[in-house]
Amino acid sequence: MTTPAVPDAPRIPEAVHRRRWAILGVLMLSLLIVVLDNSILNVAIKTISTPEPTGLGATQSELEWAINSYTLVFAGLLFTAGLLGDRVGRKKVLIAGLAVFGIGSALAAQSGSPVELIAFRGVMGLGAAFVMPATLAVLMNVFEREEQPKAIGIWAGGVGLAVAIGPITGGLLLDHFWWGSVFLINVPIVLAAIGLMIALVPDSRDPKPGRVDLVGVVLSVIGLVLLVYGIIKGGQLADFTDPAALATILAGVAVLAGFVWYEKRSEHPSIDISYFRNRVFSAAITAIALVFFALMGVTFFAVFYTQSVRGYSPLKTGLLMLPLAVAQLIFAPRARLVVDRFGVRAVCAGGLGLVALTLVGFTLLDADTPIWVLEVIFFLMGAGMAHIMTPTSVVIMQALPREKAGSASALSNTFRQVGGALGIAVLGSVLSTAYRGGVEDELKVLPAGARHTAGESIEATLGAAGRLGGRGDALVASANDSFLHAMHITALCGAGVALVGVLVVSLYLPGKARKDLSTPAGASAPEEDRVRADR
């Protein structure tokens, strides 16, 4: 047997290496608040949609914008955030991002209208844009290559932990305090994270950073806002061919096409288009975008199913979502072991296939389905997601040099957030359109001027039915039936998107790596060589 060569000397300073797991804990705390915020909001959207003084009386489209204003600012600035972190230092960017996020959270808690909430959520998205890519970039610079898959798996498991804590925390807060408390809870977590960050986390940067691409940033933000606004508008009007919706969608597509054209010719692009010549890198990025497209749309309607149709409180809704988070927490850190056995392609295809199957499972749910069926669906969905996120994150982060970790993380998170934003917009619009079509005839019992608003969401319909007294019972039954039908259609659309992801990863992600005894320790494995191919 060939004697292995002596491993390369570690590239991480010994002092940093000794506290790497403590650093990972701090990074996960920073990640926690970014993910926690969205998972808390998912439980709170029904409360926010109720009229004042309990909530803000937000319509379904305003709720979508309360989510997407955060997501769009987040996604639009991730390119720049990653580059700035690589340029000025990831620790500095992390601390600044956390501070902005905390300020935005405090302002959002005091919102007096849906418009104010949408605006302050955008401020939170600005802060989050500088937090998310920096956490993964720092991780890549405090762990040696052989420990990176394990660390990324734990990092991904932190997402599951946040998904678990968020709904339960949100439910507890809403049971005892006003709706704004779901945002105010972020402030003490931010303060703790900043203190630990200053004490433990080392700074790092790219020795050869690129310049900030202001034109690219502006084009990406404008394009995304126009595209998603048009999709939401089409769902609100129940007509995607309406000139206001169609023209906005086409304008968004045109601006994003201009963004790609400009980036290909820029000397200092926000995103290096050449990265996408690597088919493995592109397939991993696409898989992340597609799975979040499907899952974010489903999460949006699942809350209305449990609270509006089934009548569960926010706290109980949070507890019902626990299996989704627990599965991610269990399987995400262990996904690398499954990849070692079966390869990235088989694991990711299987994970996406399982997600598609669970989305189809939503068609089994009606108003009196045993609740354990939903729990099984959530658990299997979390398991499938865990076996997608960890392998694809490892592929993406190891495809680029360590010095470009901020850019790689920014790309990964950008496509994740854009996929999620489009998922909420597209699947939310499908839900809205199908729901309005089902309940429209029953709305004739309402005054003509109130019918359009009452048909925007199940909460709006139930609110209108409540004002009718006993005459509204038939409208409540129709609202529940129409929502269930719309939910089934939306779930099937999400399943179709997940199946497209299965096809993409099956064609382009690498299979199981062959073990080569002649490969010296510390050298690139065959699978890593394939990931770097075509660069």
Side-chain angles (χ1 to χ4, degrees):
M1 182 179 295
T2 305
T3 302
V6 177
D8 294 338
R11 297 178 56 189
I12 308 300
E14 181 60 29
V16 174
H17 182 74
R18 283 199 304 268
R19 65 176 190 267
R20 65 195 185 282
W21 297 109
I23 293 169
L24 178 60
V26 178
L27 297 177
M28 288 178 64
L29 181 62
S30 303
L31 175 70
L32 182 72
I33 60 167
V34 175
V35 180
L36 183 78
D37 178 72
N38 271 335
S39 58
I40 282 182
L41 183 59
N42 285 334
V43 174
I45 54 177
K46 179 181 181 295
T47 304
I48 295 172
S49 69
T50 57
E52 296 185 68
T54 303
L56 293 176
T59 65
Q60 181 156 317
S61 61
E62 287 171 336
L63 289 175
E64 291 177 11
W65 271 107
I67 296 172
N68 281 332
S69 62
Y70 174 92
T71 304
L72 286 177
V73 174
F74 189 2
L77 292 177
L78 274 169
F79 297 139
T80 302
L83 287 172
L84 279 176
D86 290 343
R87 183 183 184 89
V88 305
R90 287 130 191 171
K91 179 177 180 177
K92 297 182 183 71
V93 164
L94 256 174
I95 292 173
L98 285 169
V100 172
F101 186 89
I103 293 169
S105 297
L107 292 172
Q110 304 299 324
S111 299
S113 68
V115 173
E116 287 186 9
L117 178 61
I118 291 168
F120 294 140
R121 287 276 296 164
V123 174
M124 294 171 67
L126 173 63
F130 290 87
V131 172
M132 179 72 89
T135 60
L136 198 49
V138 170
L139 182 154
M140 298 300 288
N141 281 273
V142 299
F143 285 90
E144 296 292 347
R145 189 175 185 87
E146 62 272 11
E147 283 189 321
Q148 287 173 3
K150 181 179 180 181
I152 290 174
I154 295 172
W155 179 87
V159 176
L161 180 64
V163 172
I165 294 173
I168 297 171
T169 304
L172 285 169
L173 290 170
L174 292 172
D175 274 1
H176 296 90
F177 305 101
W178 94 115
W179 64 266
S181 62
V182 301
F183 298 111
L184 200 60
I185 191 65
N186 292 331
V187 176
I189 302 175
V190 163
L191 294 175
I194 290 176
L196 291 169
M197 191 83 57
I198 293 171
L200 292 173
V201 176
D203 208 354
S204 61
R205 67 184 71 191
D206 184 351
K208 297 179 180 178
R211 289 160 53 195
V212 176
D213 175 22
L214 294 178
V215 175
V217 170
V218 172
L219 288 175
S220 64
V221 172
I222 292 175
L224 286 169
V225 169
L226 287 173
L227 177 62
V228 175
Y229 177 81
I231 293 171
I232 293 175
K233 190 68 175 177
Q236 184 181 2
L237 298 172
D239 182 10
F240 286 93
T241 63
D242 183 275
L246 185 60
T248 309
I249 290 171
L250 293 177
V253 171
V255 173
L256 290 175
F259 167 73
V260 173
W261 179 88
Y262 177 82
E263 295 298 288
K264 290 176 69 175
R265 288 157 180 79
S266 174
E267 295 180 358
H268 49 91
S270 292
I271 174 173
D272 190 343
I273 302 298
S274 67
Y275 293 160
F276 293 94
R277 294 174 185 166
N278 179 342
R279 292 184 299 176
V280 173
F281 181 84
S282 296
I285 286 280
T286 301
I288 285 178
L290 290 177
V291 75
F292 269 82
F293 181 100
L295 287 172
M296 289 297 288
V298 169
T299 304
F300 188 77
F301 70 63
V303 172
F304 285 101
Y305 170 72
T306 54
Q307 293 190 42
S308 299
V309 177
R310 301 300 297 262
Y312 289 101
S313 68
L315 177 57
K316 289 181 179 178
T317 295
L319 292 170
L320 288 174
M321 297 180 73
L322 194 58
L324 175 69
V326 169
Q328 291 184 65
L329 195 59
I330 292 172
F331 292 111
R334 295 168 175 79
R336 63 188 175 85
L337 304 176
V338 186
V339 170
D340 290 343
R341 183 175 179 84
F342 299 105
V344 175
R345 180 193 303 151
V347 173
C348 288
L352 278 161
L354 184 57
V355 168
L357 184 64
T358 57
L359 290 170
V360 172
F362 273 94
T363 62
L364 302 175
L365 302 177
D366 55 34
D368 54 6
T369 301
I371 203 64
W372 64 262
V373 176
L374 178 64
E375 299 298 89
V376 171
I377 290 173
F378 275 152
F379 185 83
L380 293 176
M381 181 179 289
M385 187 177 178
H387 287 91
I388 302 162
M389 292 306 303
T390 300
T392 52
S393 295
V394 171
V395 167
I396 291 165
M397 294 306 295
Q398 293 192 342
L400 302 181
R402 190 195 298 262
E403 292 76 17
K404 300 295 183 183
S407 299
S409 179
L411 281 172
S412 173
N413 286 293
T414 296
F415 277 79
R416 178 185 305 172
Q417 295 302 319
V418 170
L422 292 177
I424 292 171
V426 174
L427 296 182
S429 295
V430 169
L431 181 73
S432 178
T433 301
Y435 176 76
R436 184 185 291 276
V439 79
E440 202 161 23
D441 289 342
E442 300 297 328
L443 295 176
K444 293 177 181 177
V445 299
L446 299 173
R451 293 172 190 171
H452 183 83
T453 301
E456 283 193 352
S457 68
I458 185 172
E459 274 305 303
T461 307
L462 294 177
R467 291 190 289 272
L468 293 176
R471 295 187 301 124
D473 291 345
L475 185 54
V476 170
S478 178
N480 287 337
D481 291 343
S482 298
F483 179 83
L484 289 169
H485 175 67
M487 182 180 77
H488 295 162
I489 292 174
T490 306
L492 289 175
C493 291
V497 171
L499 288 175
V500 172
V502 173
L503 179 63
V504 169
V505 300
S506 298
L507 288 174
Y508 298 114
L509 285 187
K512 185 178 180 182
R514 296 179 182 177
K515 291 186 178 180
D516 186 352
L517 295 177
S518 65
T519 301
S524 295
E527 183 173 329
E528 294 167 4
D529 292 339
R530 281 197 296 275
V531 171
R532 293 177 179 274
D534 299 327
R535 287 191 60 226

